[in-house]
């Protein structure tokens, strides 16, 4: 495939394919043209992905025991049928989503998608990430775009169902050093703060200096100014990092119907409390997780350290791993204090 690429010191829009007009634009704005070929490169050839990811994409048989199905459109039929048997409190989910997103301007499509979740033939396609400053690494964006694209493809494949793209904000993660910076044009811009605990609950005081540094790095281009305006509204008009990130993601992707959810929610955790108690008091997941981890590490790098208890306890400015000394009554009364780890 041949593509014509042009560049200039300012944005130019034209529709004419007339050679004379094209030449006039060239001489007036000093445009540069070149022809490039578009190639497809396999994930493996990029040498940027682990053996586990490559084998998963290649649908290697040795991975089948660890998953339900490989991610092909035809396999989603089995997944849809299995999910129909799940008991889900859809009314609670919709209520929580409306409350969490009440402070931002949702698109018509996002509102429609939230309401669709009341119906049994609606399914979610979910991605998620930590609350990286200014979206952080590029794959933050790729994750969301891929999720939106997949919902559209699934709707074409299974028109009798509806599919809602969801972004799960990892607001309870406590690794601030992983989210407090962005790499841009060879420069690392860092938000220095001594706050601790769940990052979503951290206030955004002092972030103005980071925005000033970002502005100097981006410059005063039209697109740059548009982004800076969104960033300033996100981080200066909201009191914590969770609300800031929700605003930012909605501004960028809300028009595509993306629905944003924060798991750091008392109502959601109350619904989840029976699982919390089983993990903490019965260590119900430990043996199966340990077995899978051991089997998988025979051929691949260890993915995560398995612990007997997979929950943290959140308090003001802290998120501490649970090793014991927790009562069932505490889980029942304050489920919002308990935060799951990566497993």
């Amino acid at each position: 495939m041949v593509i014509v690429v042009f560049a200039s010191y300012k944005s130019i829009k034209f529709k004419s394919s007339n050679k004379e007009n094209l030449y006039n634009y060239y001489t007036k704005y000093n445009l540069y043209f070149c022809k490039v070929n578009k190639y497809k490169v396999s994930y493996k050839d990029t040498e940027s992905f682990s053996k586990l990811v490559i084998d998963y994409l290649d649908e290697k048989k040795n991975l089948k025991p660890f998953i339900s199905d490989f991610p092909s459109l035809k396999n989603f039929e089995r997944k849809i049928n299995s999910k129909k048997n799940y008991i889900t409190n859809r009314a609670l989910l919709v209520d929580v989503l409306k409350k969490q997103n009440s402070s931002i301007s949702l698109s018509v499509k996002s509102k429609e998608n939230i309401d669709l979740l009341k119906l049994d033939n609606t399914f979610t396609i979910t991605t998620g990430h930590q609350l990286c400053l200014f979206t952080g690494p590029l794959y933050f964006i790729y994750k969301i775009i891929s999720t939106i694209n997949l919902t559209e493809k699934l709707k074409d494949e299974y028109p009798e169902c509806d599919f809602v793209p969801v972004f799960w904000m990892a607001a309870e993660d406590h690794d601030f050093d992983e989210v407090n910076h962005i790499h841009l044009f060879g420069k690392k811009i860092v938000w220095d703060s001594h706050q601790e605990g769940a990052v979503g609950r951290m206030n955004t005081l002092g972030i103005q200096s980071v925005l000033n540094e970002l502005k100097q790095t981006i410059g005063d281009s039209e697109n740059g100014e548009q982004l800076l305006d969104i960033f300033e509204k996100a981080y200066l008009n909201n009191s914590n990092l969770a609300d800031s990130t929700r605003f930012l993601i909605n501004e960028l992707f809300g028009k595509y119907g993306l629905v944003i959810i924060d798991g750091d929610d008392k109502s959601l955790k109350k619904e989840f409390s029976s699982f919390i108690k089983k993990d903490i008091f019965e260590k119900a997941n430990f043996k199966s997780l340990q077995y899978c981890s051991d089997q998988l590490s025979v051929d691949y790098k260890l993915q995560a350290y398995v612990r007997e208890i997979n929950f943290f306890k959140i308090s003001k400015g802290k998120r501490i791993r649970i090793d014991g000394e927790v009562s069932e009554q505490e889980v029942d009364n304050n489920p919002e204090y308990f935060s799951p780890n990566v497993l």
Side-chain angles (χ1 to χ4, degrees):
M1 178 179 180
V2 179
I3 305 171
V4 177
V5 180
F6 66 91
S8 173
Y9 69 92
K10 64 188 297 185
S11 297
I12 307 296
K13 292 184 179 179
F14 58 85
K15 296 181 179 179
S16 173
S17 59
N18 182 283
K19 289 184 179 180
E20 182 179 351
N21 288 341
L22 212 61
Y23 177 77
N24 289 339
Y25 279 120
Y26 180 88
T27 55
K28 183 177 180 181
Y29 293 105
N30 194 29
L31 299 181
Y32 301 90
F33 292 82
C34 65
K35 289 184 178 180
V36 297
N37 291 322
K38 180 180 178 181
Y39 298 98
K40 285 187 176 181
V41 180
S42 69
Y43 285 101
K44 182 179 180 180
D45 289 341
T46 66
E47 298 183 353
S48 299
F49 298 90
S50 68
K51 183 176 183 292
L52 176 59
V53 171
I54 298 301
D55 286 355
Y56 176 69
L57 294 173
D58 289 341
E59 300 188 7
K60 292 294 180 68
K61 292 182 179 180
N62 65 311
L63 288 176
K64 189 64 180 74
F66 303 100
I67 61 174
S68 56
D69 293 290
F70 287 105
S72 64
L73 286 177
K74 62 182 177 61
N75 285 340
F76 272 92
E77 184 175 1
R78 283 197 296 272
K79 184 62 67 178
I80 289 169
N81 290 331
S82 68
K83 288 295 182 181
K84 286 179 180 178
N85 299 321
Y86 274 45
I87 298 175
T88 304
N89 192 339
R90 290 176 176 266
L92 173 66
L93 176 61
V94 170
D95 182 59
V96 168
L97 286 170
K98 288 184 176 180
K99 288 179 180 177
Q100 287 189 357
N101 293 281
S102 61
S103 63
I104 59 177
S105 179
L106 291 177
S107 68
V108 172
K109 194 168 184 179
S110 289
K111 290 179 180 178
E112 290 175 348
N113 278 343
I114 291 175
D115 286 331
L116 280 173
L117 291 171
K118 299 175 185 176
L119 307 177
D120 290 338
N121 67 332
T122 299
F123 303 91
T124 59
I125 305 298
T126 304
T127 188
H129 203 78
Q130 295 155 292
L131 311 188
C132 296
L133 201 62
F134 311 123
T135 74
L138 189 57
Y139 55 77
F140 183 108
I141 302 295
Y142 284 165
K143 280 182 173 183
I144 297 174
I145 293 174
S146 297
T147 300
I148 293 169
N149 287 341
L150 180 56
T151 59
E152 295 174 353
K153 289 182 179 179
L154 287 172
K155 182 61 178 176
D156 291 338
E157 190 78 12
Y158 306 101
E160 71 279 7
C161 298
D162 287 302
F163 302 91
V164 175
V166 175
F167 184 86
W168 178 284
M169 297 199 304
E172 296 171 73
D173 189 274
H174 62 275
D175 196 338
F176 182 62
D177 289 340
E178 288 192 359
V179 304
N180 72 340
H181 63 276
I182 184 172
H183 292 275
L184 188 64
F185 304 142
K187 183 177 182 179
K188 184 178 181 180
I189 300 174
V190 181
W191 174 28
D192 289 321
S193 176
H194 299 292
Q195 298 177 76
E196 296 180 340
V199 296
R201 302 183 182 189
M202 293 180 180
N203 68 63
T204 53
L205 296 176
I207 207 168
Q208 179 67 69
S209 60
V210 184
L211 286 164
N212 293 340
E213 186 176 0
L214 182 68
K215 185 174 183 178
Q216 294 176 357
T217 306
I218 290 180
D220 57 359
S221 68
E222 181 180 345
N223 288 337
E225 288 181 351
Q226 288 178 359
L227 276 175
L228 282 167
D229 181 61
I230 294 173
F231 290 150
E232 287 177 348
K233 289 176 180 176
Y235 293 100
L236 299 181
N237 295 346
N238 292 284
S239 60
N240 59 53
L241 192 57
D243 290 342
S244 298
T245 305
R246 180 186 291 107
F247 178 93
L248 175 58
I249 296 172
N250 182 65
E251 286 294 302
L252 297 176
F253 299 102
K255 62 184 178 181
Y256 304 107
L258 186 69
V259 174
I260 305 162
I261 189 169
D262 183 355
D264 191 5
D265 185 280
K266 184 174 182 177
S267 296
L268 292 178
K269 289 187 177 180
K270 188 172 183 62
E271 187 75 8
F272 184 59
S273 61
S274 63
F275 293 92
I276 298 174
K277 288 188 283 189
K278 282 182 180 179
D279 187 89
I280 294 176
F281 303 115
E282 301 176 23
K283 300 178 177 59
N285 302 305
F286 173 65
K287 287 185 179 180
S288 59
L289 287 172
Q290 187 67 66
Y291 175 79
C292 287
S293 180
D294 290 343
Q295 294 300 307
L296 197 60
S297 62
V298 171
D299 296 312
Y300 306 99
K301 180 182 176 182
L302 185 68
Q303 299 301 300
Y305 182 76
V306 178
R307 301 182 183 278
E308 290 188 342
I309 297 175
N310 296 287
F311 278 85
F312 293 83
K313 189 174 182 181
I314 294 179
S315 59
K316 188 174 182 179
K318 298 187 181 208
R319 185 173 183 252
I320 301 172
R321 184 176 293 111
I322 295 174
D323 293 319
E325 298 184 5
V326 173
S327 69
E328 291 195 33
Q329 184 179 5
E330 190 174 3
V331 177
D332 289 332
N333 294 340
N334 300 104
E336 72 276 17
Y337 292 171
F338 298 89
S339 172
N341 73 0
V342 67
L343 298 175

